[in-house]
Amino acid sequence: MIPITVVDVRDAEDLVVEVLRSGAIAQGPMVERFEGAFAPIAGTKHAVAVNNGTTALVASLQALDLEAGDEVITSPFTFVATLNAILEAGATVRFADIRRDDFALDPDAVAAAVTDRTKVLMPVHLYGQTADMGKLAPLAAERGLEIIEDSAQSVGASFEGRAAGSYGIGCFSLYATKNVTTAEGGVITTDDDELADKLRVLRNQGMRARYQYEVAGHNYRMTDLHAAVGIPQLEKLDQLTAARQANAKRLSEGLAGTPGLDIPRVLPGREHVWHQYTVLIGPHAMLSRDELASALTAHGIGNGVYYPKIVFDYECYRGHPLIPDAKVEDYPVAGAVAAQALSLPVHPHLTESDVDQIVETVREALGA
């Protein structure tokens, strides 16, 4: 079986043992070391480690002191954590449709969605490529919106040389399958000294020092054990990303011209880090998306559907007071992509033979 992803953190063994032997395994010097290594990757002054990527989004929204009725605009095509975080923060969710070429927010749709209650723009940098920040960032500035980047899948990605997570508040996930993992974990990045200080107090039950409470806080802390797992990956992130990029290039070259198949694009000015290699199986393909997924699985090739529905198209969200007037039909591009998207293995542990097998199997299944 060629898996859709591989988790290999053996390089962290020495640091993990160091933490275990120290007897101090909660948030401590290893977390601080991890933060110091992460901030330059995002191109920011501060990196605030937290216990997961959803927490990163929630804490960032809480730090902005939003009021009831304040709106956050985000993508309808994303992992559910994006939506759940906004709801947990008590904000009203508004969606804007995506573009097919980068799977991210369409700036024109965002402009049309802004109201006088909109306070935050939350673009999602999906699959390892940033949204069109060349248009979204000026739009946010013009409309007076804060930017919170859902960069969960895009550590190391950039737009015209500017790193994901550096446009306002960046939120990263370090879940087990991400390009950098601490098993569970997250990071918030910012250049704002005051905001970074507020986030550090917020994550520590509102304490600046022991029993010195300044706000009603939470336990959002990362442990030194988790940080120790991630540090070696940060040190070789360029190498890991280069391997993903080489695999993606080989996949694209091999799959080009396959009937009914749209291969992902690296758009001009963007550095794609290939968290996922996601193709679109069009309506005229020999097989549907789900039929192709089954064929690949039968041939021992892992694959994944990220994501099978628009994010709010589930019973638990229907009629939610913080998701007013959300209708699937209002987001036709997101709906089409959700029905056609299929991710293929692109992780850095693939061999050339693995990539050739993936290409051959897809092409054969689609009649190329």
Side-chain angles (χ1 to χ4, degrees):
M1 187 78 180
I2 300 173
I4 184 67
T5 191
V6 170
V7 180
D8 183 355
V9 294
R10 289 171 292 180
D11 287 353
E13 184 175 331
D14 289 345
L15 282 182
V16 170
V17 170
E18 180 183 329
V19 173
L20 291 172
R21 287 177 174 167
S22 75
I25 60 176
Q27 180 179 295
M30 203 65 74
V31 170
E32 186 175 356
R33 177 175 166 183
F34 181 88
E35 292 173 333
F38 198 98
I41 293 170
T44 56
K45 290 171 62 177
H46 303 281
V48 181
V50 291
N51 53 6
N52 59 64
T54 308
T55 292
L57 292 168
V58 172
S60 297
L61 288 163
Q62 290 172 336
L64 295 179
D65 296 323
L66 300 179
E67 299 178 352
D70 287 348
E71 298 173 349
V72 178
I73 294 178
T74 195
S75 170
F77 187 63
T78 181
F79 183 53
V80 72
T82 310
L83 174 55
N84 286 342
I86 299 170
L87 297 179
E88 184 173 342
T92 297
V93 189
R94 291 184 64 85
F95 296 101
D97 209 356
I98 63 170
R99 295 193 329 206
R100 189 179 175 91
D101 58 358
D102 62 5
F103 306 105
L105 282 173
D106 181 335
D108 292 336
V110 171
V114 175
T115 75
D116 58 2
R117 294 308 306 265
T118 307
K119 296 296 187 294
V120 179
L121 173 60
M122 185 180 286
V124 181
H125 304 321
L126 206 60
Y127 303 142
Q129 183 166 226
T130 71
D132 188 352
M133 298 309 293
K135 292 182 178 178
L136 291 173
L139 172 61
E142 177 186 335
R143 303 294 183 92
L145 309 180
E146 300 281 356
I147 294 177
I148 297 179
E149 299 168 71
D150 185 339
S151 304
Q153 301 182 4
S154 296
V155 59
S158 64
F159 182 92
E160 296 183 349
R162 185 168 175 179
S166 68
Y167 284 85
I169 306 173
C171 296
F172 296 83
S173 170
L174 305 171
Y175 179 65
T177 58
K178 294 300 191 290
N179 293 25
V180 172
T181 178
T182 59
E184 285 281 10
V187 181
I188 306 167
T189 55
T190 180
D191 281 325
D192 188 320
D193 296 341
E194 184 178 341
L195 179 65
D197 178 71
K198 187 174 184 178
L199 288 165
R200 291 190 173 104
V201 170
L202 185 65
R203 75 175 172 185
N204 191 36
Q205 297 288 13
M207 290 189 292
R208 181 171 300 283
R210 190 168 178 81
Y211 302 132
Q212 180 186 332
Y213 301 104
E214 297 190 357
V215 296
H218 307 269
N219 179 1
Y220 290 158
R221 297 184 295 263
M222 176 186 281
T223 71
D224 267 19
L225 279 173
H226 287 89
V229 172
I231 288 169
Q233 296 165 66
L234 296 180
E235 293 172 346
K236 61 178 183 180
L237 181 59
D238 288 346
Q239 172 189 338
L240 294 170
T241 299
R244 288 177 178 272
Q245 291 170 335
N247 290 336
K249 183 174 185 290
R250 192 176 178 89
L251 285 168
S252 292
E253 290 172 348
L255 292 173
T258 302
L261 189 76
D262 287 346
I263 59 176
R265 296 170 53 198
V266 181
L267 297 180
R270 305 193 207 187
E271 179 82 359
H272 202 317
V273 297
W274 298 103
H275 173 62
Q276 298 290 349
Y277 183 92
T278 301
V279 299
L280 296 175
I281 296 84
H284 302 298
M286 182 176 292
L287 299 177
S288 70
R289 185 270 308 282
D290 293 342
E291 289 170 337
L292 177 59
S294 296
L296 291 173
T297 300
H299 284 82
I301 296 172
N303 56 88
V305 176
Y306 312 112
Y307 302 95
K309 289 185 176 184
I310 285 178
V311 70
F312 60 83
D313 189 20
Y314 294 89
E315 189 61 36
C316 60
Y317 297 115
R318 301 194 199 289
H320 196 293
L322 296 179
I323 316 176
D325 304 321
K327 301 185 181 79
V328 171
E329 57 268 25
D330 291 338
Y331 310 100
V333 180
V337 168
Q340 297 175 8
L342 183 68
S343 294
L344 306 175
V346 74
H347 57 79
H349 303 284
L350 293 173
T351 66
E352 289 190 1
S353 175
D354 290 336
V355 176
D356 290 343
Q357 184 179 340
I358 295 165
V359 168
E360 180 181 344
T361 305
V362 172
R363 289 182 63 83
E364 182 177 335
L366 293 178

